[in-house]
Amino acid sequence: MSFRLNPRDMHVSTIVAEHYGMPIDELAKILQTSTINAYRIAKRWREAGLMAKLPVKPVPGYYWIYCTPKSAEELLGHPVRYWAPTPKMAKHTLTVLRVRLALVGAELGNWISERTLRYEVSAPNIRGHRRPHVHDGRYTTDKGELWAVEVELSPKDPAYARDSVQRAYQAAQAAHCAGLIYYCADQQIKDLITSCAGGLQLSTTTRFRVALLEDVLPDEDDITAAATRTRQGLWLIDGGKQTGSLR
């Protein structure tokens, strides 16, 4: 049986591949349709071989869809590892997707996914050398600047956090990013990351910013608009909610 897939199918399936997977309600928001219709579309994608046959519900809520390794490789243009949603990774995966939608919407080409970044550093490790840090994503601002993004949802041991922040910043420098921004789930995590940054030798060419997730993620009622909006000024950085381009 053959299936006719339209440009929208391929566009949104590519977003699914970039972010490993997503729950049906998030898919509905991107498609600007009902969850019932999103289920129908996902079923058609599964029958066409784009998505894995077995829906998974890693956390309470809606079922998730995720690409088969073959379709993900075809959509992304590079090899991938098999991935299926798990309770441990579901929240972080979904939060990174929502941050991406808030920053650049559902466009393609302005976001480099963690999945692609991981492929780029997947060469065999040289003994005595650690692989470069892999950011949660990188995006291009309206000014044409490339920014690296990290999403932190839970507190970490201070020593581990310092090492992680240093490696994330070094990776941003190596990629010639204009800056690295951390989006943190709460003030405690933001304070920890800010403290870790105090020990970095910050350059004038690679900036460092820390923000709260609530500053970039829209209210629930506005998520659909964020997913489909044309690119506007990018949100905030340190402190309270504000709009405007990154500086």
Side-chain angles (χ1 to χ4, degrees):
M1 183 182 295
S2 62
F3 295 88
R4 180 172 296 178
L5 299 172
N6 60 43
R8 185 182 72 162
D9 292 325
M10 305 310 295
H11 183 114
V12 180
S13 293
T14 301
I15 296 175
V16 176
E18 288 179 334
H19 291 272
Y20 299 100
M22 67 179 67
I24 286 292
D25 61 329
E26 203 69 31
L27 175 65
K29 291 165 187 171
I30 294 173
L31 291 170
Q32 289 188 292
T33 191
S34 67
T35 54
I36 292 176
N37 195 46
Y39 271 117
R40 294 193 188 103
I41 293 171
K43 181 176 183 293
R44 181 161 56 86
W45 290 352
R46 286 197 299 272
E47 292 171 345
L50 277 176
M51 301 294 152
K53 293 289 186 182
L54 181 64
V56 176
K57 188 186 290 186
V59 293
Y62 290 87
Y63 283 101
W64 282 54
I65 59 169
Y66 55 103
C67 293
T68 65
K70 180 180 178 181
S71 67
E73 290 180 353
E74 291 176 348
L75 290 166
L76 300 179
H78 60 73
V80 302
R81 292 182 179 180
Y82 172 79
W83 185 92
T86 63
K88 182 178 180 181
M89 292 301 299
K91 185 176 182 180
H92 186 267
T93 299
L94 178 56
T95 304
V96 172
L97 168 63
R98 288 179 168 176
V99 167
R100 176 256 183 87
L101 294 175
L103 292 172
V104 298
E107 297 179 26
L108 297 177
N110 292 315
W111 178 270
I112 305 173
S113 69
E114 184 264 355
R115 200 171 201 179
T116 293
L117 294 174
R118 188 167 298 281
Y119 163 73
E120 292 176 354
V121 299
S122 62
N125 199 12
I126 301 174
R127 180 173 295 183
H129 295 270
R130 300 168 73 182
R131 285 195 178 97
H133 178 90
V134 179
H135 297 124
D136 289 327
R138 295 176 190 154
Y139 73 100
T140 304
T141 71
D142 291 326
K143 294 181 177 180
E145 294 182 336
L146 181 66
W147 278 74
V149 174
E150 292 289 332
V151 172
E152 291 291 340
L153 300 182
S154 58
K156 291 180 171 60
D157 173 79
Y160 177 86
R162 281 194 297 272
D163 179 65
S164 179
V165 169
Q166 181 178 34
R167 294 182 66 229
Y169 187 73
Q170 290 172 342
Q173 287 181 304
H176 305 290
C177 294
L180 166 65
I181 181 165
Y182 273 80
Y183 290 109
C184 305
D186 58 38
Q187 189 63 45
Q188 179 184 359
I189 299 172
K190 181 182 178 184
D191 290 343
L192 173 62
I193 299 301
T194 301
S195 175
C196 292
L200 296 176
Q201 292 184 339
L202 298 177
S203 73
T204 57
T205 55
T206 306
R207 289 159 279 174
F208 189 97
R209 300 288 185 268
V210 187
L212 291 172
L213 273 171
E214 66 184 36
D215 292 322
V216 67
L217 290 182
D219 295 333
E220 189 67 22
D221 291 342
D222 296 331
I223 289 177
T224 300
T228 57
R229 67 183 176 87
T230 55
R231 302 195 58 207
Q232 301 170 359
L234 302 174
W235 282 283
L236 106 170
I237 291 295
D238 302 305
K241 296 182 180 180
Q242 48 185 296
T243 59
S245 298
L246 291 170
R247 292 183 177 86

